[in-house]
């Protein structure tokens, strides 16, 4: 069965709804997750509430999607029993999305070391071959679990 934001905007096959990571994600979601090979993909159906004053996707919401995707991928790449915390994210905003658009943040782990994880993220509209909206990279610091 396909997950749905609502009946008029289905979520693509292969995506399942993520559980919210706390109160902030309850406000901004729902977000959906899939795997594409070794890569993590986080999807979002853009809603009116995600918009800015000119009716395009707010940059803060786009960064929330990217941070969620990078953090999830870094956490999975961290050594067992350890966590990955954001050290830095750099992003280039390239194009806009609007309410109703399906966007995907796909993350590739470039290097997973004992102390640092480096990742690449591309956000596209309408799937992996769609228009590039943002490119970002993240560096995460590996820390021991308490």
């Amino acid at each position: 069965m396909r997950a749905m934001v609502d009946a008029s905007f289905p979520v693509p096959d292969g995506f399942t709804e993520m559980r919210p990571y706390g109160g902030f994600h309850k406000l901004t979601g729902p977000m959906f997750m899939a795997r594409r090979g070794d890569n993590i993909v986080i999807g979002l159906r853009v809603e009116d509430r995600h918009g800015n004053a000119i009716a395009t996707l707010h940059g803060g919401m786009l960064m929330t999607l990217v941070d969620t995707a990078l953090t999830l991928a870094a956490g999975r790449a961290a050594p067992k029993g350890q966590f990955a915390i954001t050290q830095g994210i750099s992003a280039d905003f390239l194009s806009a999305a609007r309410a109703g658009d399906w966007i995907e943040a796909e993350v590739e782990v470039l290097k997973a070391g004992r102390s640092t994880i480096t990742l690449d993220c591309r956000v596209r509209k309408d799937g992996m071959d769609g228009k590039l909206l943002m490119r970002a990279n993240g560096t995460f610091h590996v820390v021991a679990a308490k």
Side-chain angles (χ1 to χ4, degrees):
M1 179 177 173
R2 284 184 148 170
M4 297 243 194
V5 172
D6 69 41
S8 60
F9 294 109
V11 172
D13 287 333
F15 283 84
T16 57
E17 189 169 344
M18 295 175 57
R19 69 173 173 74
Y21 291 164
F24 185 71
H25 274 146
K26 288 179 184 175
L27 294 173
T28 59
M31 292 184 191
F32 300 84
M33 186 176 78
R35 295 215 47 133
R36 193 170 285 139
D38 292 334
N39 296 346
I40 296 287
V41 184
I42 304 298
L44 174 77
R45 180 67 67 189
V46 179
E47 300 176 22
D48 287 334
R49 65 191 174 106
H50 298 135
N52 57 23
I54 60 170
T56 62
L57 179 62
H58 192 286
M61 185 63 221
L62 194 51
M63 285 299 295
T64 296
L65 176 69
V66 167
D67 182 49
T68 300
L70 287 168
T71 300
L72 182 61
R76 291 187 176 197
K80 187 174 180 163
Q82 296 188 325
F83 294 98
I85 57 172
T86 308
Q87 189 171 331
I89 296 175
S90 176
D92 296 312
F93 296 85
L94 304 171
S95 191
R98 298 187 181 280
D101 288 342
W102 172 256
I103 61 174
E104 297 177 2
E106 183 168 353
V107 178
E108 177 183 2
V109 176
L110 301 177
K111 183 178 180 190
R114 290 181 294 176
S115 62
T116 305
I117 300 170
T118 307
L119 310 104
D120 179 71
C121 182
R122 297 287 187 259
V123 181
R124 294 183 184 279
K125 185 168 79 170
D126 300 326
M128 65 189 264
D129 296 322
K131 186 173 189 173
L132 186 62
L133 304 178
M134 175 183 259
R135 63 181 181 210
N137 58 60
T139 304
F140 285 70
H141 184 65
V142 177
V143 297
K146 290 187 177 186

